[in-house]
Amino acid sequence: MIFVTGGAGFIGANFVHDWLAAEREDVLVIDKLTYAGNLDNLAGLRDDPRFAFAQVDICDRAALTSLLSQHRPRALLHFAAESHVDRSISGPGEFIRTNINGTFELLEAVRAHWSALDEPRRSAFRFLHVSTDEVYGSLGENDPAFSETTPYAPNSPYAASKAASDHLVRAYHHTYGLPVLTTNCSNNYGPYQFPEKLIPLMILSALEDRPLPVYGDGANVRDWLYVGDHCAAIRRVLAEGRLGETYNIGGKSEKRNLEVVHAVCAVLDELRPKRQGRYAEQIRFVTDRPGHDRRYAIDPRKIEGELAWRPAQTFEAGIRLTVQWYLDNAAWTERVRSGDYRDWIDKNYGQRLGGQAQQ
């Protein structure tokens, strides 16, 4: 069996679906079920005998210890994190609690479990920590992409909390010998993504004839990675990665935010055309968020060379798959979009939209 923390969230849930489709091994999902953790993301797996779920906060070391003792997993994959930059700016405390303190409690519980294992289970055990490219800071237009040796320079409370968790994981390997692996990925997109993130927010706002808010001049660049490709990369790192190493996972798809929004609009124009006009007419430029990093880009040569992984989806194919999924899963969207979500969107974008120009 493997454990997956945060397995009811966006990337974690996609990984669980991918794992059970590709592997025969059981999986136990550990999730607190905060606003972005949703059992609907795993609804299709409830009758699969290989799937189990435990509603546990990763800050609860006693509960984690009990699960480890009961199930004796051979690996733990750590996806659980607060991940939205805007939320970290308005309320950083929860990011410190979950991403730093939670990772510490998890490491301590896992270290005690691993230390008590007999061989060969002890040598076979793995702790895989899923992180982000945002720990590296911001790039200039002509700067080389982030590599595994790029110095850390986090610029938001979210990025700083993830950088701290990365350092803890590294320290537990070098101090205690805990068999860890770390992955730092670029921006993910795909099914089950909570509708506060750029791509699902644009899809759903467009369909509801609402403004499509684009920060600043829309020229901020991100490297976009289809979530299914990310899941395949994580499985490869778990199976073949070198202990104590970091692997950067990117989609080789650098796009300006405005390009991404136009791509979403173009696919919607084709798959769900408006009665009049085009979706891009709803684009509005809004006041930029504080400290908005200008560019992220991943150099994936290490994982390509060592583990023979490459993304299977182009951005054009992946964005089409994503838009189609949201069109086909309106019921999921309605259940996810609670009052809390609507309050957050109104709070974050409502004032920014006032008096802004249209693209």
Side-chain angles (χ1 to χ4, degrees):
M1 170 179 278
I2 65 166
F3 280 11
V4 175
T5 70
F10 163 48
I11 302 176
N14 274 279
F15 178 81
V16 173
H17 283 279
D18 177 82
W19 180 268
L20 291 175
E23 309 287 344
R24 296 183 178 181
E25 196 169 7
D26 293 358
V27 56
L28 171 68
V29 168
I30 299 170
D31 203 294
K32 184 182 176 182
L33 296 182
T34 58
Y35 77 96
N38 184 354
L39 281 178
D40 271 3
N41 297 348
L42 303 167
L45 304 175
R46 290 173 184 170
D47 295 328
D48 190 323
R50 298 170 298 161
F51 169 76
F53 176 79
Q55 185 172 357
V56 168
D57 185 345
I58 60 169
C59 291
D60 186 346
R61 193 192 308 181
L64 294 170
T65 298
S66 177
L67 289 173
L68 288 163
S69 176
Q70 178 183 353
H71 296 283
R72 296 172 59 82
R74 64 99 177 174
L76 185 145
L77 294 94
H78 181 32
F79 292 85
E82 295 285 346
S83 65
H84 195 240
V85 173
D86 290 339
R87 285 183 183 263
S88 81
I89 293 170
S90 63
E94 193 61 31
F95 288 72
I96 303 305
R97 179 186 181 277
T98 298
N99 298 354
I100 301 178
N101 296 339
T103 299
F104 165 70
E105 297 294 349
L106 186 62
L107 283 166
E108 281 290 274
V110 169
R111 180 168 72 95
H113 167 75
W114 167 75
S115 297
L117 292 175
D118 296 328
E119 293 293 353
R121 292 175 63 88
R122 192 171 189 270
S123 295
F125 186 84
R126 297 290 183 269
F127 181 104
L128 193 153
H129 175 59
V130 179
S131 191
T132 173
D133 59 359
E134 296 194 37
V135 299
Y136 299 120
S138 185
L139 294 169
E141 183 176 354
N142 298 315
D143 289 340
F146 300 133
S147 74
E148 290 79 2
T149 59
T150 300
Y152 276 32
N155 290 323
S156 70
Y158 161 62
S161 68
K162 288 298 291 184
S165 69
D166 292 7
H167 292 321
L168 281 171
V169 171
R170 173 185 169 87
Y172 271 64
H173 175 68
H174 285 271
T175 302
Y176 304 113
L178 190 68
V180 307
L181 301 154
T182 296
T183 59
N184 293 84
C185 69
S186 57
N187 278 38
N188 278 220
Y189 67 99
Y192 302 111
Q193 190 168 28
F194 194 77
E196 67 186 357
K197 297 299 180 77
L198 177 65
I199 289 175
L201 176 63
M202 295 301 111
I203 295 169
L204 300 176
S205 296
L207 293 171
E208 294 172 354
D209 200 29
R210 299 176 64 180
L212 306 182
V214 176
Y215 280 138
D217 59 4
N220 300 76
V221 175
R222 300 293 182 263
D223 177 18
W224 292 93
L225 174 66
Y226 187 67
V227 68
D229 285 330
H230 187 195
C231 294
I234 291 171
R235 284 195 289 111
R236 190 72 58 85
V237 172
L238 180 65
E240 301 178 23
R242 290 185 291 129
L243 293 183
E245 292 292 314
T246 295
Y247 294 89
N248 283 356
I249 305 171
K252 290 187 171 180
S253 295
E254 284 190 57
K255 303 286 181 184
R256 291 180 172 85
N257 286 349
L258 189 57
E259 289 182 78
V260 173
V261 177
H262 276 289
V264 169
C265 290
V267 175
L268 283 170
D269 284 334
E270 178 186 350
L271 299 180
R272 187 69 62 82
K274 301 176 69 172
R275 291 183 179 180
Q276 291 184 336
R278 303 178 73 83
Y279 288 104
E281 296 168 5
Q282 296 168 222
I283 293 174
R284 303 287 190 277
F285 291 102
V286 302
T287 305
D288 209 349
R289 72 182 178 209
H292 196 178
D293 287 342
R294 195 62 172 174
R295 172 176 170 248
Y296 304 146
I298 285 282
D299 178 353
R301 284 180 292 179
K302 180 176 178 178
I303 191 172
E304 290 178 349
E306 288 190 16
L307 306 183
W309 173 88
R310 286 172 175 78
Q313 297 291 349
T314 63
F315 178 79
E316 291 71 23
I319 202 68
R320 186 180 183 87
L321 287 171
T322 302
V323 171
Q324 188 66 64
W325 188 89
Y326 280 92
L327 291 175
D328 292 342
N329 289 274
W332 177 89
T333 300
E334 289 306 312
R335 289 192 295 269
V336 166
R337 296 170 78 181
S338 65
D340 177 67
Y341 163 72
R342 292 185 182 278
D343 289 346
W344 165 251
I345 293 299
D346 291 342
K347 177 182 177 182
N348 193 54
Y349 292 109
Q351 293 182 346
R352 298 174 190 268
L353 285 168
Q356 297 297 325
Q358 180 175 347
Q359 168 69 3

